[in-house]
Amino acid sequence: MKTLISFYTLRLPIYFVYMLQQVEYNPTKFLDWIERLIKHNRKISSVRHRKSLVPTTKAKSLVYSSYLLLIVLLSLVFLLNFKFSVWLIVDYFVILLALPFFLIIELSLVTFFAKLFIVNPKESKLVNLSRDIFLKHTAIKIAVVGSYGKTTMKELLSTILKEGLSVASTPGNMNTSLSHARFAKGLSGEEEILIVEFGEGEPGDISSMARIFKPDFVVLTGLAPNHLDSYPSLDSLAKDILSVYEFADKDSVFVTAESQLLQPYLTKGNLKYSVKSVLGWKISNIIVSVTNTKFNMKKGNKEIQVTTGLLGRHQVAPVAFASALAEQLGLSRKQIESGCSIVQPYEHRMQSRYIHGAWIIDDTYNGNIEGMQAGLMLLSELDMKRKWYVTPGLVDQGSEADNVHTELGKSIALASPDIVVLMENSARPTIEKSLKDCGFSGELRIESNPLEFYTNIEHVIVAGDLMLMQNDWTDNYN
């Protein structure tokens, strides 16, 4: 009831369009968000907590059209009731009650039909063009696929290979067919290496991207229960990711041996890379710290000494693989070591920051249980006076949500931080129960205002502290 009452505000169109903007104008996700608001009895004003509406042309058009709809409906009632009467008051009352639902219907229909008749045809044309560009391009094409670690692997490969070759890679975490198409349009045709990140959003995405890109090499970084709001099961997600084998030779697909969830789906003969060996190289002398990771690689009489800004033992296998592939593609030891030395964590992916004598590791982009467990392993391995662990839990876990958050609670307890900070949301009770069941003896804090907590971190930590922050919940999951 509180949610429905909160709908009666003049700012309602702005809140609704903000919600649409956050879910990339997907009407289904927009309606799901409204359903969650009502289910959890949250006010409409709570949706715009972390960010504000970005005033793009599309957003402003939807806001103006929504206000126009309200004016038209109210004017229509007046015109149909030629003079003031009790019925005019009744009609106005009924219309006012129904206005929020008219807005929901209007915005859902407008975005649905705009996508169907305007956006989809334009995107389809651009994607078809990219198919021709990729087909004609003579570069070696590398696709990076998996539930996590894709952007880090792509940046690793790009940074190291650029030491000796002309490389182009998709920017940031742009990993859809449309972003690939925009990337293709900007190619000069002179590149020697193309690296493209494949993102799984719904069944069929990976095979569609592979069919267009036609990779020469594929790197499979791992499997985790992500996007299970779109995929019916982990099996369905694994099937989609592994569909890359239909578009590349088996001998050119390299698979991590570190992802436990992925192993049951693999067959004998898969080319694996691990923290112990990769492509015939043996890995030894691993040293991790809050600022870098070091290890040695040896193959016959060849040796590579690696120092990288990426943090954690779980980064050894990806860095070693990128180094081994670079050597296979003709780079020298000096070039590979130089490339590794300038690799730094990608934004919000195990980024360390020194502040007031304390260290903060920002891993807030992390959105999977295996990645969070890897971060917790690093937290347990580092020697600091006091350790903090901060998380809201994970989103997009579907039917696996309780199991995943129970497992997360176990992993936190195993890492034994001194202070655990959980954000107040639907995942909090499961994580808290798991912590207690596993005998966690440290201090547990529950934060109801994540933004305020993150804003005031420098006033919370003291010299000698280490704080690991993992994952973040955007407004549409609150």
Side-chain angles (χ1 to χ4, degrees):
M1 182 60 70
K2 183 169 70 175
T3 305
L4 297 177
I5 293 173
S6 73
F7 280 177
Y8 297 97
T9 168
L10 288 175
R11 299 186 68 81
L12 187 64
I14 296 173
Y15 291 133
F16 278 167
V17 175
Y18 170 77
M19 293 167 77
L20 274 168
Q21 193 173 66
Q22 290 300 297
V23 296
E24 298 178 336
Y25 300 96
N26 184 315
T28 302
K29 292 184 178 180
F30 168 63
L31 294 173
D32 287 344
W33 191 350
I34 291 174
E35 182 183 356
R36 288 199 301 273
L37 272 180
I38 296 172
K39 179 181 178 181
H40 295 289
N41 201 26
R42 301 288 296 274
K43 291 182 179 180
I44 187 66
S45 57
S46 70
V47 305
R48 208 176 60 169
H49 181 64
R50 306 294 297 277
K51 299 179 181 179
S52 298
L53 180 70
V54 180
T56 62
T57 301
K58 184 188 298 185
K60 288 190 290 187
S61 298
L62 287 173
V63 169
Y64 295 152
S65 68
S66 297
Y67 280 117
L68 181 61
L69 175 66
L70 300 183
I71 294 170
V72 168
L73 287 173
L74 294 174
S75 300
L76 189 61
V77 172
F78 183 78
L79 291 173
L80 293 176
N81 292 268
F82 298 104
K83 57 183 180 179
F84 180 82
S85 67
V86 173
W87 289 113
L88 177 62
I89 297 174
V90 172
D91 287 348
Y92 264 127
F93 182 71
V94 171
I95 287 292
L96 285 171
L97 283 178
L99 280 179
F101 306 98
F102 280 126
L103 277 182
I104 292 171
I105 293 169
E106 178 238 351
L107 290 170
S108 299
L109 289 176
V110 167
T111 50
F112 173 78
F113 286 110
K115 185 172 181 62
L116 186 63
F117 295 111
I118 300 174
V119 177
N120 285 354
K122 285 185 178 180
E123 291 184 357
S124 180
K125 184 178 179 180
L126 188 57
V127 169
N128 287 334
L129 176 62
S130 70
R131 180 186 290 108
D132 294 335
I133 294 173
F134 287 135
L135 183 63
K136 294 175 183 176
H137 209 297
T138 58
I140 294 172
K141 304 178 186 70
I142 304 174
V144 183
V145 190
S147 298
Y148 57 88
K150 296 186 294 291
T151 303
T152 296
M153 177 59 80
K154 181 201 66 184
E155 294 297 321
L156 257 174
L157 288 167
S158 178
T159 302
I160 295 173
L161 291 174
K162 279 180 179 176
E163 292 294 302
L165 298 165
S166 172
V167 180
S169 60
T170 47
N173 60 340
M174 299 293 101
N175 54 26
T176 65
S177 292
L178 182 60
S179 59
H180 297 171
R182 290 170 177 156
F183 165 71
K185 280 189 68 178
L187 297 174
S188 68
E190 301 300 318
E191 297 86 359
E192 296 171 285
I193 303 285
L194 299 181
I195 310 173
V196 169
E197 178 182 331
F198 286 10
E200 69 286 0
E202 57 186 39
D205 277 353
I206 300 301
S207 58
S208 176
M209 293 176 192
R211 189 177 293 109
I212 292 168
F213 186 56
K214 297 189 182 304
D216 298 297
F217 294 105
V218 176
V219 189
L220 213 167
T221 60
L223 175 67
N226 292 355
H227 304 296
L228 292 188
D229 289 347
S230 300
Y231 288 87
S233 65
L234 185 64
D235 287 345
S236 172
L237 176 58
K239 181 180 178 181
D240 197 25
I241 289 175
L242 291 170
S243 66
V244 293
Y245 275 102
E246 300 171 21
F247 304 94
D249 293 335
K250 190 173 183 179
D251 291 342
S252 63
V253 180
F254 306 99
V255 186
T256 178
E258 304 298 317
S259 172
Q260 296 305 311
L261 289 177
L262 181 61
Q263 303 313 309
Y265 298 98
L266 302 178
T267 59
K268 289 183 178 179
N270 291 110
L271 297 176
K272 298 181 181 181
Y273 61 93
S274 73
V275 71
K276 295 180 179 179
S277 65
V278 52
L279 302 183
W281 292 81
K282 300 298 181 183
I283 300 167
S284 62
N285 301 329
I286 301 172
I287 302 172
V288 298
S289 74
V290 75
T291 56
N292 60 37
T293 302
K294 298 179 181 180
F295 61 91
N296 293 341
M297 297 173 60
K298 192 168 185 179
K299 183 179 182 181
N301 59 357
K302 299 178 183 178
E303 187 173 356
I304 300 174
Q305 296 180 342
V306 173
T307 299
T308 174
L310 299 184
L311 308 183
R313 198 169 291 269
H314 64 290
Q315 298 289 11
V316 171
V319 175
F321 168 76
S323 301
L325 185 62
E327 195 270 344
Q328 186 174 306
L329 293 175
L331 270 69
S332 67
R333 168 183 170 172
K334 183 177 180 181
Q335 289 172 323
I336 294 168
E337 290 178 346
S338 174
C340 290
S341 70
I342 61 176
V343 169
Q344 293 297 319
Y346 199 68
E347 190 175 19
H348 305 304
R349 293 166 175 85
M350 297 295 283
Q351 275 186 307
S352 64
R353 181 161 56 100
Y354 188 69
I355 178 171
H356 303 323
W359 285 97
I360 295 174
I361 299 179
D362 178 358
D363 196 29
T364 51
Y365 192 82
N366 196 330
N368 67 88
I369 184 62
E370 291 203 7
M372 296 182 86
Q373 289 171 326
L376 283 161
M377 184 185 296
L378 175 64
L379 183 68
S380 67
E381 202 169 350
L382 296 175
D383 184 21
M384 304 294 285
K385 287 184 179 178
R386 187 172 65 164
K387 300 178 185 180
W388 295 67
Y389 181 72
V390 181
T391 187
L394 288 154
V395 298
D396 278 346
Q397 302 302 294
S399 61
E400 292 292 316
D402 283 344
N403 292 334
V404 166
H405 288 113
T406 298
E407 190 64 29
L408 177 59
K410 291 179 183 177
S411 299
I412 298 171
L414 187 63
S416 298
D418 299 288
I419 302 172
V420 172
V421 181
L422 301 179
M423 303 307 168
E424 184 58 76
N425 54 45
S426 58
R428 189 272 306 161
T430 306
I431 302 173
E432 183 175 356
K433 181 179 184 303
S434 181
L435 276 171
K436 292 177 179 177
D437 289 347
C438 293
F440 174 68
S441 58
E443 181 183 348
L444 176 63
R445 301 184 186 182
I446 309 298
E447 285 289 339
S448 59
N449 192 329
L451 188 60
E452 182 178 331
F453 174 80
Y454 290 126
T455 302
N456 292 286
I457 278 178
E458 63 181 272
H459 304 300
V460 173
I461 57 176
V462 298
D465 280 0
L466 170 63
M467 177 182 286
L468 172 61
M469 304 186 301
Q470 289 196 297
N471 201 22
D472 185 24
W473 281 38
T474 52
D475 282 335
N476 55 305
Y477 289 104
N478 286 325

